[in-house]
Amino acid sequence: MTRDRDDDALSWEGDDDPTLAPGWKTVGTSVPAPPTDADRADGAPETDDASEPVSGDAADSSPSSATLILFGVFGGIYLLYTIGWIFSALRVESNVPDALAQFMFTLGLWFAVLAPAAWFATTLLATESGARRRIVWLLIGAVVLVPVPFVAGITS
């Protein structure tokens, strides 16, 4: 039996083996329906939760591709803000003679550096009511956390 060399690229030796089908003994076997409450009450064995289909609520809670891209854009903005605050904090010199006041001034500068990252993480992790509310809070943070000293070129 001669085979055409072009057909070899379309198949793999042993790909018609029914034991290689993932999760089932033979290819083409129908998927069993998940047990209903009546079946469970009759004593039918329960299956693990991973084999049951995802409900509509869980499928709807995943963000769309556009939302994920928007979150990435906001993440980039907040990263740039963090870098801007780092440059601003490194340029500022304090002439405060008191050690406690100097410590508090330095602590405030580094809190300013951490603020964009903390806002972004808190908005994504703590806001559970949906993508719209997260986007609104990220937009508010993008306006509030602008590194004004860096943008305006203010130096001490």
Side-chain angles (χ1 to χ4, degrees):
M1 175 160 97
T2 62
R3 292 185 60 163
D4 188 15
R5 291 193 65 77
D6 292 335
D7 290 340
D8 288 343
L10 301 176
S11 66
W12 191 269
E13 188 66 34
D15 64 349
D16 55 350
D17 186 5
T19 60
L20 297 177
W24 301 102
K25 296 296 180 192
T26 58
V27 177
T29 305
S30 63
V31 177
T36 62
D37 292 336
D39 293 338
R40 289 186 183 141
D42 293 339
E46 292 190 24
T47 60
D48 59 340
D49 292 338
S51 65
E52 292 186 18
V54 177
S55 67
D57 295 337
D60 293 339
S61 67
S62 63
S64 66
S65 296
T67 304
L68 291 175
I69 290 171
L70 196 57
F71 287 160
V73 168
F74 275 117
I77 289 171
Y78 282 105
L79 179 64
L80 290 175
Y81 282 5
T82 302
I83 293 170
W85 278 112
I86 288 172
F87 287 144
S88 297
L90 293 176
R91 286 192 312 199
V92 173
E93 295 178 14
S94 171
N95 296 331
V96 181
D98 185 18
L100 181 62
Q102 178 65 32
F103 172 74
M104 295 303 290
F105 181 77
T106 306
L107 184 67
L109 283 176
W110 291 110
F111 277 155
V113 169
L114 294 175
W119 188 289
F120 184 73
T122 302
T123 301
L124 290 184
L125 297 176
T127 310
E128 296 179 4
S129 60
R132 284 188 192 152
R133 181 165 280 173
R134 286 181 179 152
I135 291 170
V136 167
W137 280 109
L138 287 172
L139 188 60
I140 291 170
V143 171
V144 170
L145 296 171
V146 172
V148 175
F150 180 73
V151 173
I154 300 172
T155 60
S156 294

